[in-house]
């Protein structure tokens, strides 16, 4: 997008007059202040904060590693299979992740690339950890959706896409594993429209598939990129670049492949959609890239394309007020809490997304939920479980704040107490279990560890109404979350635990207007229980969807909600 120099000059003069009038500054101070404001705005504009989402085994963590390789953040890409002579994945920092070869916690990776300051959030692909992924999606301005080109769109991809669509997040698509047998590329584009309901524009196009995969044609730059395989995909892939009729391209493609490529590109130009930046920004069109993350095919093209066509940090809503990124007030919200990332230090880190203003280490902010003033003395830039002190940060950045026990997920941090973000929804659990402490001598460690994990949002906890015991009822999206709780209790706090599965699989929230006396009058199906969530909202626990429907009918058509109060509003609020 071309910049208008006359418009920039007018803005400069207007801002100068405004500063003179408001602060009655001498010219030198006006210009110093103006330079600082312009510098801050440039820093914000070069930020890109995004997450990578996919169905398990589509290649999300592999792509994360290779993006870091091309970004210069790592020199040798770690293999997810973790062979003995290779590194483990940079983003998989927890020992349980390394053992299973899957990502089970969200990780922040920050690096510089060609003038951009990048915040990359790697998310769990396993469906049992989708709640952690959902929270991460509240902190990003864009998403890269990885699809296995052999399988097309899968269940978890569809669920995560729906969250992005509701929030209006720009989505970039990477068709992965093109060096293996795949679906027809046109069929994959059709799936995007028919299954997800989103328009697509292939920024590049594959040259062959499977063993015949030779590279990609960049439709916007009119260049062919031919790649060579590297041993284990460890190093940056060398490539040959030229237009369709360059001799270097013709020499490496046989006549049949060359003619087929020209025909497909011509067909796309005639019948396909045109590239529209506004549609990309509002999430109704996805730029599509083809490649193979494992073999470094098309990874750098994806990175460059994303940085060029994705938006900078977006403003956020505080109630009815829209807080611009260059607002003079500092504001941020906590979207994730993680304890014991560094086993040498039993500390606790809160991940905060900066929404406006400039962060400076040692600054004092207000914590609206508690009303306290807090000094942010220990602030870090993250790279997996490694960290370094950060002194300044801007809107779009993710900052790790260490050792602040009052912070909870969803909390706002600001220098203006009137700002309060509501960004983090609570999601519907699908599995329930009682967690027992078999060793009474370790009760303190058990309780301390469980309280910490609850504060991190690893799982939810319910209190069953009229229960005679105080055994915690845990609630989670998937069973594997319970295993993580038990594993971390034992390895981080030295506390054993025993899990007892509960019979319920369906939870519904009751109207918040109901009083305790109203709960006594409800007719409950056999096996149904009333409980309270962490915010003391009444819920009903059922063993089936049928029982939930029957309960509603027998209680005069009582309206039940699949989400707690406010969560649906937050989930469906678009980022402007």
């Amino acid at each position: 997008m071309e910049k208008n120099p006359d418009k920039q000059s007018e803005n400069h003069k207007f801002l100068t007059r405004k500063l003179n009038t408001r602060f009655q500054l001498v010219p030198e101070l006006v210009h110093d202040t103006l330079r600082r404001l312009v510098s801050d705005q440039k820093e914000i504009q070069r930020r890109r904060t995004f997450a990578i989402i996919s169905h398990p085994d589509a290649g999300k963590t592999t792509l994360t590693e290779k993006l870091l390789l091309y970004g210069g953040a790592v020199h040798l890409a770690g293999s997810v299979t973790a062979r003995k002579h290779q590194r483990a994945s940079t983003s998989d920092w927890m020992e349980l992740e390394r053992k299973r070869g899957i990502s089970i916690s969200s990780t922040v990776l920050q690096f510089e690339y060609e003038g951009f300051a990048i915040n990359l959030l790697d998310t769990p692909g396993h469906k049992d950890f989708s709640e952690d992924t959902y929270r991460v999606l509240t902190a990003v301005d864009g998403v890269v959706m990885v699809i296995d080109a052999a399988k097309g769109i899968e269940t978890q991809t569809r669920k995560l896409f729906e969250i992005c669509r509701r929030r209006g997040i720009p989505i970039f698509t990477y068709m992965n594993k093109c060096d293996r047998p795949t679906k027809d590329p046109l069929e994959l584009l059709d799936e995007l429209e028919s299954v997800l309901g989103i328009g697509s524009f292939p920024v590049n196009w594959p040259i062959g598939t499977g063993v015949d995969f030779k590279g990609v044609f960049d439709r916007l730059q009119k260049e062919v990129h031919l790649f060579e395989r590297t041993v284990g995909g460890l190093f940056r892939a060398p490539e040959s670049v030229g237009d369709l009729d360059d001799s270097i391209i013709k020499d490496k493609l046989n006549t049949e492949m060359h003619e087929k490529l020209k025909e497909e590109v011509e067909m796309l130009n005639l019948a396909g959609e045109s590239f529209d930046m506004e549609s990309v920004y509002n999430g109704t069109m996805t730029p599509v890239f083809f490649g193979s993350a494992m073999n470094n095919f098309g990874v750098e093209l994806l990175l460059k394309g994303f940085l060029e066509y994705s938006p900078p940090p977006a403003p956020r809503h505080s109630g009815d007020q829209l807080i611009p990124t260059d607002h003079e007030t500092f504001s941020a919200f906590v979207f994730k809490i993680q304890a014991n990332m560094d086993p040498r230090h039993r500390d606790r880190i809160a991940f905060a997304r900066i929404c406006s203003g400039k962060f400076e280490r040692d600054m004092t902010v207000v914590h609206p939920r508690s009303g306290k003033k807090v000094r942010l003395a220990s602030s870090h830039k993250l790279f997996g479980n490694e960290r370094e002190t950060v002194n300044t940060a801007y809107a779009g950045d993710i900052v790790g704040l260490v050792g602040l026990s009052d912070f909870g997920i969803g909390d706002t941090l600001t220098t203006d107490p009137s700002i309060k973000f509501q960004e983090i929804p609570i999601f519907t659990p699908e599995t329930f279990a009682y967690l027992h402490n078999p060793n009474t001598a370790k009760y303190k460690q058990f309780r301390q560890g469980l309280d910490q994990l609850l504060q991190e949002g690893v799982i939810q906890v319910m209190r069953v109404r009229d229960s005679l015991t105080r055994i915690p009822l845990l609630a989670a999206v998937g069973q594997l979350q319970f295993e993580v709780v038990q594993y971390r209790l034992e390895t981080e706090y030295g506390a054993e635990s025993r899990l007892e599965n509960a019979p319920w699989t369906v939870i519904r929230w009751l109207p918040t207007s109901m009083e305790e006396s109203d709960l006594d009058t409800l007719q409950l199906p056999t096996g149904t229980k009333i409980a309270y969530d962490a915010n003391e909202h009444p819920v009903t626990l059922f063993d089936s969807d049928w029982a939930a429907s029957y309960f509603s009918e027998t209680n005069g058509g009582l309206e039940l909600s699949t989400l707690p109060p406010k969560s649906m509003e937050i989930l469906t609020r678009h980022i402007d």
Side-chain angles (χ1 to χ4, degrees):
M1 207 182 300
E2 292 186 7
K3 295 181 172 65
N4 185 335
D6 293 334
K7 184 67 175 176
Q8 286 183 309
S9 179
E10 288 175 18
N11 291 339
H12 186 284
K13 291 176 182 176
F14 170 76
L15 193 53
T16 302
R17 287 197 303 271
K18 186 176 179 182
L19 286 168
N20 270 314
T21 303
R22 183 172 179 183
F23 299 107
Q24 298 181 345
L25 297 176
V26 296
E28 291 79 5
L29 291 179
V30 170
H31 290 302
D32 285 346
T33 305
L34 185 58
R35 275 195 295 270
R36 180 178 56 78
L37 292 174
V38 170
S39 174
D40 289 353
Q41 184 60 35
K42 283 183 178 178
E43 286 294 336
I44 293 170
Q45 290 300 310
R46 74 186 193 95
R47 260 61 188 172
R48 293 295 184 273
T49 303
F50 71 101
I52 301 180
I53 62 172
S54 76
H55 193 83
D57 298 324
K60 173 188 58 63
T61 301
T62 303
L63 178 61
T64 301
E65 286 290 316
K66 301 310 169 74
L67 286 173
L68 296 176
L69 173 68
Y70 278 91
V74 290
H75 302 295
L76 189 69
S79 171
V80 179
T81 53
R83 300 187 184 101
K84 288 182 181 178
H85 63 281
Q86 291 177 320
R87 293 170 41 150
S89 285
T90 306
S91 54
D92 290 342
W93 58 270
M94 194 185 293
E95 184 63 29
L96 188 57
E97 292 177 305
R98 299 180 190 274
K99 286 181 179 178
R100 295 213 175 196
I102 59 172
S103 299
I104 61 176
S105 64
S106 301
T107 307
V108 180
L109 303 159
Q110 297 168 304
F111 59 97
E112 297 267 341
Y113 179 76
E114 293 194 351
F116 287 93
I118 299 169
N119 296 273
L120 169 55
L121 282 73
D122 183 38
T123 61
H126 198 287
K127 64 181 178 63
D128 284 7
F129 300 96
S130 54
E131 188 165 359
D132 198 25
T133 302
Y134 294 160
R135 292 195 195 107
V136 165
L137 293 179
T138 66
V140 301
D141 301 299
V143 159
V144 171
M145 176 171 64
V146 182
I147 294 175
D148 185 333
K151 299 176 181 177
I153 295 164
E154 300 174 87
T155 309
Q156 185 69 357
T157 309
R158 192 180 299 119
K159 287 181 180 179
L160 294 172
F161 170 83
E162 182 60 24
I163 299 296
C164 296
R165 187 192 63 78
R166 287 177 175 180
R167 293 186 62 85
I169 301 174
I171 299 169
F172 291 69
T173 301
Y174 184 71
M175 298 293 182
N176 194 23
K177 303 184 182 180
C178 289
D179 58 327
R180 303 178 186 180
T182 69
K183 289 186 174 183
D184 184 272
L186 289 172
E187 184 183 346
L188 291 169
L189 294 183
D190 183 64
E191 273 192 35
L192 289 172
E193 187 169 346
S194 61
V195 178
L196 299 183
I198 188 172
S200 63
F201 180 88
V203 175
N204 58 36
W205 193 249
I207 305 171
T209 59
V211 293
D212 293 325
F213 181 63
K214 303 296 184 184
V216 293
F217 172 69
D218 188 325
R219 294 179 62 210
L220 295 180
Q221 302 300 324
K222 311 297 183 189
E223 292 179 336
V224 175
H225 293 250
L226 299 179
F227 297 88
E228 300 172 20
R229 295 175 186 269
T230 62
V231 179
L234 289 176
F235 304 97
R236 295 176 61 147
E239 59 183 77
S240 303
V241 181
D243 66 32
L244 278 173
D245 295 314
D246 275 3
S247 58
I248 189 173
I249 302 301
K250 288 182 175 180
D251 290 345
K252 294 197 175 185
L253 296 179
N254 61 43
T255 304
E256 183 182 349
M257 288 188 72
H258 189 253
E259 289 302 318
K260 184 174 185 290
L261 172 62
K262 290 179 72 172
E263 287 176 11
E264 289 177 340
V265 169
E266 185 177 359
M267 182 183 65
L268 286 171
N269 292 339
L270 291 174
E273 295 192 49
S274 58
F275 187 69
D276 179 37
M277 287 290 290
E278 186 175 346
S279 298
V280 174
Y281 278 17
N282 63 30
T284 57
M285 172 183 281
T286 177
V288 181
F289 299 80
F290 290 82
S292 167
M294 181 60 73
N295 290 288
N296 295 329
F297 288 175
V299 175
E300 192 167 25
L301 289 175
L302 168 67
L303 179 58
K304 287 183 175 180
F306 176 84
L307 294 176
E308 183 174 355
Y309 305 124
S310 63
R316 300 273 171 157
H317 280 283
S318 169
D320 295 330
Q321 183 184 8
L322 188 65
I323 309 298
T325 55
D326 58 356
H327 196 281
E328 60 187 359
T329 297
F330 167 81
S331 66
F333 68 90
V334 176
F335 67 92
K336 177 181 174 62
I337 292 173
Q338 185 75 56
N340 308 323
M341 288 185 73
D342 185 347
R344 295 168 298 179
H345 308 286
R346 291 299 185 195
D347 59 9
R348 176 180 181 277
I349 188 165
F351 293 84
R353 152 72 191 234
I354 300 176
C355 301
S356 69
K358 181 179 180 180
F359 170 86
E360 295 179 308
R361 189 164 65 92
D362 282 331
M363 72 186 302
T364 298
V365 299
V366 176
H367 181 226
R369 183 169 58 83
S370 66
K372 295 179 180 178
K373 288 187 176 182
V374 183
R375 188 167 70 92
L376 305 180
S378 184
S379 51
H380 296 270
K381 177 181 177 180
L382 288 304
F383 193 77
N385 68 332
E386 299 174 10
R387 60 181 81 161
E388 64 180 66
T389 299
V390 61
N391 294 313
T392 58
Y394 300 86
D397 279 336
I398 307 298
V399 176
L401 304 170
V402 178
L404 298 163
S405 59
D406 287 340
F407 290 178
I409 290 175
D411 283 359
T412 299
L413 307 173
T414 177
T415 51
D416 178 356
S418 68
I419 295 178
K420 188 174 183 181
F421 298 113
Q422 288 188 325
E423 293 284 349
I424 309 294
I426 297 173
F427 296 92
T428 309
E430 298 174 10
T431 182
F432 302 84
Y434 289 104
L435 190 68
H436 296 267
N437 173 26
N439 186 350
T440 54
K442 291 289 186 74
Y443 175 79
K444 183 177 179 181
Q445 292 92 323
F446 175 84
R447 192 69 248 181
Q448 180 187 5
L450 183 58
D451 287 345
Q452 175 59 53
L453 296 175
L454 289 173
Q455 197 168 24
E456 288 181 26
V458 175
I459 29 81
Q460 299 178 43
V461 67
M462 303 283 168
R463 177 173 65 85
V464 179
R465 189 171 189 251
D466 299 329
S467 175
L468 299 177
T469 66
R470 298 184 62 186
I471 300 170
L473 175 65
L474 304 185
V477 174
Q479 186 73 24
L480 198 52
Q481 285 179 272
F482 295 144
E483 290 186 38
V484 171
V485 169
Q486 290 188 284
Y487 174 84
R488 291 188 60 190
L489 278 175
E490 185 167 0
T491 58
E492 296 174 19
Y493 298 93
E496 296 178 23
S497 61
R498 179 173 62 83
L499 203 66
E500 176 192 352
N501 288 324
W504 308 294
T505 57
V506 176
I507 183 172
R508 295 291 183 266
W509 273 262
L510 292 163
T512 55
S513 58
M514 296 193 77
E515 304 286 345
E516 282 294 315
S517 56
D518 298 325
L519 299 179
D520 294 330
T521 64
L522 294 175
Q523 300 179 48
L524 302 179
T526 303
T528 299
K529 289 286 186 181
I530 294 175
Y532 301 91
D533 66 13
N535 294 313
E536 290 298 313
H537 292 138
V539 301
T540 40
L541 302 172
F542 304 98
D543 58 13
S544 67
D545 286 317
W546 179 89
S549 300
Y550 178 75
F551 169 80
S552 178
E553 291 173 11
T554 56
N555 287 279
L558 184 65
E559 189 174 341
L560 303 174
S561 174
T562 57
L563 287 169
K566 294 283 185 184
S567 281
M568 181 60 77
E569 176 190 336
I570 295 171
L571 273 174
T572 54
R573 184 195 304 137
H574 281 225
I575 299 176
D576 291 326

